[in-house]
Amino acid sequence: MGRLTGFWGLLSAYWRSERWREAWTLTAIVFVLTTVLSKASVWVALASADFMAALVNIQPASGDSALSASSSLASGHVVLMAAGAYLAIFLARTAGVALRHFVSSTLHRRARGWLVAQFNDAILADERIAFDLMSDRSDGGDRSRMPDAVDQRVDECTGGLYGGVIGLAMGLWGR
């Protein structure tokens, strides 16, 4: 429990715990997905520009020549290919965002679960602490104090801590 007393110790405890392989694997997957998604934003912009350029370069069919008909068909083919590429890259990027959200949420849940379990084990290891948390220490005899739900407070605090840090790391890495 001593390593969980400082900010950096609390923040890095899961990644230095006995479950370090799981922690670092999920972290690496999040960083790889964030890197690919960062590049995919550029690919979407380029595909969008190619699509717009294909739309602009459509040649209207003028006259009855076979050359203008084949040019019109070629322009239509280019527009369809550009639209297909744009749509495929956009949908792949959207699926990548969903996958990254799933993996980062998994990392978040497992880090929080590990940390809450560490606190629960420490609290329940000393029977005096558990008894004190569950005892009625009200001043007046008229109204009893409800039992303390320290595990819920720890869970709420770790939710903000790990959620903020994981989101910040993804935001900084992706830019």
Side-chain angles (χ1 to χ4, degrees), residues 7-163:
F7 175 74
W8 292 111
L10 183 64
L11 192 61
S12 65
Y14 177 61
W15 285 266
R16 294 186 301 147
S17 71
E18 68 281 351
R19 293 170 58 180
W20 66 271
R21 283 187 179 102
E22 170 186 276
W24 285 107
T25 301
L26 289 171
T27 303
I29 292 170
V30 168
F31 277 121
V32 166
L33 288 172
T34 301
T35 302
V36 171
L37 288 173
S38 177
K39 299 301 179 196
S41 295
V42 174
W43 298 334
V44 167
L46 291 173
S48 172
D50 290 343
F51 176 65
M52 295 304 278
L55 285 177
V56 168
N57 290 329
I58 291 179
Q59 300 293 327
S62 60
D64 293 329
S65 77
L67 181 62
S68 73
S70 69
S71 173
S72 176
L73 285 175
S75 296
H77 184 2
V78 169
V79 168
L80 286 177
M81 290 298 292
Y86 176 51
L87 182 64
I89 293 171
F90 177 77
L91 291 176
R93 183 179 176 279
T94 303
V97 168
L99 180 62
R100 181 184 65 173
H101 177 72
F102 174 74
V103 174
S104 68
S105 295
T106 301
L107 174 63
H108 183 228
R109 281 190 310 273
R110 290 189 180 176
R112 286 177 60 196
W114 178 84
L115 187 62
V116 168
Q118 297 300 309
F119 277 109
N120 286 345
D121 290 346
I123 289 170
L124 296 175
D126 188 353
E127 295 169 358
R128 293 175 298 160
I129 294 174
F131 179 74
D132 187 44
L133 290 172
M134 297 302 291
S135 67
D136 181 15
R137 292 180 284 150
S138 60
D139 291 334
D142 57 342
R143 188 171 156 236
S144 66
R145 182 181 70 92
M146 294 299 292
D148 194 4
V150 82
D151 59 329
Q152 291 175 357
R153 287 191 280 141
V154 169
D155 193 41
E156 288 298 316
C157 291
T158 58
L161 173 73
Y162 283 133

